[in-house]
């Protein structure tokens, strides 16, 4: 199983001292980042307001008698936090329902977590079922520009601007299928089937890792998804089915 060559790709990786999310590559991840920034703005505004009140109150020697047993003031500081929570909760619930929304998939892929590698299966094609395993590349096999502990021998290749459904399970213990740039995180549970739906908006190579402690080699089972245009994807499928 070969990687698709002769195409310019972006690689989304965490960087040193990075505190923000990785660049999004799906509409859901874009909304997650917007919600995060929106919530952080509100929290910072509340923090600055409380600090300002403390700075004013602590050194003050005068006592304002209308603060105690002030019904209007107590109603205000009870209802105001409730309103702020509603303002935060409404977009959060919208996004939660959006991430769980069931779409009509154009491509279904099966992903199985094993100790300690991933196996994938394309079963939508009548000519031949495509199955392969994806192991982490050892350090001695890395090439220039490869990422240690993140590169794999076989990438999961998918087309852009296509509704993708990934069915996720595990063969032995709990695993977790996670790709931050695509907003994907789903537990792989033996005997159960989880699914995630997503759509990639740009070509690139997106890295993830198992996010559930699954044994001694838990940190050595990376996930690599390569998104490409439909022409290159069709060539890949044609090559694998013939």
């Amino acid at each position: 199983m070969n990687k698709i060559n002769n195409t310019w790709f972006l690689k989304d990786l965490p960087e040193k001292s990075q505190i923000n999310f990785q660049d999004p590559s799906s509409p859901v991840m874009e909304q997650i980042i917007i919600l995060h920034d929106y919530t952080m703005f509100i929290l910072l505004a509340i923090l600055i307001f409380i600090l300002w009140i403390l700075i004013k109150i602590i050194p003050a020697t005068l006592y304002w008698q209308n603060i105690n047993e002030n019904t209007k003031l107590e109603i205000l500081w009870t209802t105001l936090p409730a309103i702020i929570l509603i303002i935060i909760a409404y977009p959060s619930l919208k996004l939660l329902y959006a991430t769980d929304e069931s779409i009509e998939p154009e491509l279904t892929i099966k992903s199985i977590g094993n100790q300690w590698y991933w196996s994938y299966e394309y079963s939508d094609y009548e000519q031949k079922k495509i199955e392969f395993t994806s192991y982490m590349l050892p350090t001695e096999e890395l090439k220039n520009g490869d990422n240690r502990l993140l590169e794999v021998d076989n990438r999961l290749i998918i087309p852009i601007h296509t509704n993708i459904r990934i069915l996720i399970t595990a063969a032995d213990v709990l695993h977790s299928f996670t790709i931050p740039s695509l907003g994907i995180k789903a537990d792989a549970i033996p005997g159960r089937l989880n699914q995630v739906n997503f759509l990639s908006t740009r070509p690139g190579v997106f890295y993830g890792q198992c996010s559930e402690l699954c044994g001694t080699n838990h940190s050595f089972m990376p996930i690599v998804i390569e998104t490409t245009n439909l022409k290159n994807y069709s060539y890949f499928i044609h090559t694998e089915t013939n």
Side-chain angles (χ1 to χ4, degrees):
M1 177 135 190
N2 298 320
K3 301 172 186 177
I4 295 177
N5 297 318
N6 302 321
T7 307
W8 180 74
F9 287 113
L10 292 174
K11 288 190 175 184
D12 280 313
L13 286 166
E15 299 176 359
K16 184 179 180 182
S17 303
Q18 179 178 344
I19 60 174
N20 295 321
F21 291 103
Q22 297 178 28
D23 292 337
S25 181
S26 71
V28 168
M29 191 59 198
E30 291 173 5
Q31 292 302 313
I32 290 173
I33 294 175
I34 291 172
L35 175 63
H36 169 266
D37 295 342
Y38 169 76
T39 306
M40 289 303 298
F41 173 78
I42 294 175
L43 293 178
L44 285 173
I46 293 171
L47 178 62
I48 292 170
F49 176 69
I50 292 174
L51 288 175
W52 178 78
I53 290 178
L54 290 175
I55 291 170
K56 290 292 185 180
I57 289 177
I58 291 175
T61 55
L62 298 177
Y63 175 72
W64 188 24
Q65 62 179 0
N66 292 329
I67 289 181
N68 280 353
E69 299 182 6
N70 189 324
T71 305
K72 292 182 180 179
L73 190 59
E74 289 180 1
I75 292 173
L76 178 64
W77 67 40
T78 302
T79 55
L80 190 59
I83 293 170
I84 293 173
L85 288 176
I86 292 171
I87 292 172
I88 295 174
Y90 178 70
S92 301
L93 290 173
K94 281 185 65 178
L95 181 57
L96 183 63
Y97 280 101
T99 55
D100 288 337
E101 184 181 4
S102 229
I103 60 172
E104 186 65 30
E106 299 171 80
L107 174 65
T108 298
I109 300 170
K110 297 177 184 177
S111 174
I112 302 172
N114 305 268
Q115 289 181 311
W116 286 273
Y117 63 94
W118 294 92
S119 57
Y120 302 105
E121 178 185 315
Y122 297 77
S123 55
D124 286 355
Y125 302 101
E126 296 179 358
Q127 306 96 321
K128 181 183 176 183
K129 185 166 62 174
I130 303 172
E131 296 178 279
F132 60 92
T133 56
S134 181
Y135 287 89
M136 186 191 75
L137 284 179
T139 303
E140 58 271 15
E141 294 183 17
L142 295 176
K143 300 176 183 178
N144 289 336
D146 285 347
N147 303 288
R148 181 175 172 271
L149 303 182
L150 287 175
E151 298 293 347
V152 296
D153 55 355
N154 293 315
R155 293 173 176 175
L156 180 62
I157 298 173
I158 61 171
I160 60 173
H161 304 305
T162 303
N163 290 327
I164 308 291
R165 176 176 64 182
I166 298 185
L167 303 176
I168 301 166
T169 188
D172 34 49
V173 298
L174 289 176
H175 300 280
S176 185
F177 190 87
T178 306
I179 303 285
S181 292
L182 294 169
I184 297 174
K185 187 178 188 298
D187 288 338
I189 305 171
R192 292 186 61 183
L193 203 61
N194 276 340
Q195 72 172 30
V196 292
N197 299 292
F198 70 96
L199 179 146
S200 179
T201 56
R202 60 189 172 95
V205 180
F206 306 104
Y207 295 86
Q209 292 176 299
C210 176
S211 299
E212 185 75 40
L213 188 60
C214 57
T216 55
N217 289 333
H218 158 68
S219 57
F220 302 110
M221 50 182 302
I223 306 159
V224 183
I225 291 182
E226 183 173 325
T227 59
T228 184
N229 57 50
L230 191 57
K231 180 180 178 181
N232 284 338
Y233 175 76
S234 299
Y235 173 77
F236 156 73
I237 293 297
H238 177 75
T239 303
E240 294 298 321
T241 53
N242 290 306

